[in-house]
Amino acid sequence: DLSAFFPKQVGPPSQYAKAIQHWMHLILVLQVAACVLRAVVLLDLLGCVWMVLLCGMGYYAWYHEMNITYISIWGAGCALGTLLDILAFVIPVATGLLKLELLATIVRIGTPCAELLGALFAWHLYRDYQRLHGGETFGFDPLGRTFDGFDPETNPILKGFTAAGSSAEKKYKEGYGSSNPFQTIVSAPNPFQTAPEQSPRKQNAGCC
């Protein structure tokens, strides 16, 4: 039972959470890139598996239209991954067990940065959810103004990172509609009303 540790989504997500999905796209792309570099440059298969699970949870949270429960679990995983990766880098360097190579060092520093960005973004959305539902918004929000006042889609460089997430979201909604499991179901039609003629349902080739 995760309800004691993470907020439970009640109703659809807030309009604010849906409005800043470009940040979610950017962070997930950065984490996927860190996962690939971790496997190729560092040959860290165990860490790569952890990053795959982390990216999968982040994608699952976005897939369900920024569900705060999944966002919180993803953010907690990002925070844990940040701590472990920092310790795995600092301790070997401090004891002289790790030689600093340029590319490997960049990957070792960039990976916890991508995870930390995800943790701070999840914390920002958690505070917004608590404030919206009358809960206590304790703690500080170090990147709150950045998430509020800047859209990665407006930056020519960052726009390329968010394009993959935006196009995937558009394609999904065109083919399947909303993915929100908490969306209100339309009431049953009038039984005395003549049903309109329905066109044949288009078969999704991907499911066969």
Side-chain angles (χ1 to χ4, degrees):
D1 184 11
L2 300 177
S3 60
F5 303 97
F6 302 103
K8 185 177 181 181
Q9 180 76 54
V10 179
S14 65
Q15 292 298 322
Y16 174 76
K18 296 175 66 176
I20 61 173
Q21 288 189 80
H22 290 159
W23 275 105
M24 191 71 174
H25 300 162
L26 173 61
I27 294 171
L28 287 179
V29 169
L30 291 177
Q31 290 184 352
V32 169
C35 178
V36 174
L37 291 175
R38 193 169 189 166
V40 174
V41 177
L42 303 180
L43 301 178
D44 183 8
L45 298 182
L46 183 61
C48 186
V49 170
W50 168 257
M51 288 292 295
V52 168
L53 295 176
L54 202 63
C55 295
M57 176 54 66
Y59 174 80
Y60 192 74
W62 164 80
Y63 176 82
H64 286 293
E65 297 187 356
M66 310 299 287
N67 183 288
I68 190 60
T69 304
Y70 306 141
I71 287 285
S72 300
I73 297 174
W74 170 68
C78 288
L80 178 61
T82 301
L83 178 62
L84 295 178
D85 286 336
I86 290 177
L87 293 177
F89 175 68
V90 172
I91 294 177
V93 170
T95 56
L97 298 177
L98 182 65
K99 295 182 179 180
L100 296 179
E101 299 179 358
L102 180 59
L103 183 58
T105 302
I106 293 176
V107 175
R108 292 182 185 276
I109 295 176
T111 299
C113 288
E115 293 171 329
L116 179 61
L117 185 61
L120 294 177
F121 181 68
W123 175 250
H124 178 69
L125 290 178
Y126 171 79
R127 284 172 54 86
D128 173 72
Y129 182 85
Q130 290 292 95
R131 181 169 54 251
L132 184 64
H133 290 78
E136 182 181 358
T137 56
F138 53 88
F140 68 104
D141 192 4
L143 293 183
R145 293 185 178 180
T146 303
F147 295 137
D148 286 336
F150 178 72
D151 185 359
E153 194 72 10
T154 61
N155 187 283
I157 299 177
L158 299 180
K159 187 175 182 179
F161 288 95
T162 63
S166 299
S167 55
E169 178 185 8
K170 181 179 179 182
K171 183 178 180 181
Y172 175 84
K173 289 185 176 180
E174 287 178 352
Y176 301 96
S178 174
S179 61
N180 184 9
F182 302 96
Q183 185 175 3
T184 304
I185 301 175
V186 180
S187 59
N190 187 349
F192 301 100
Q193 183 179 1
T194 304
E197 183 179 358
Q198 297 182 354
S199 57
R201 186 176 181 181
K202 186 177 180 180
Q203 180 69 29
N204 182 14
C207 68
C208 300

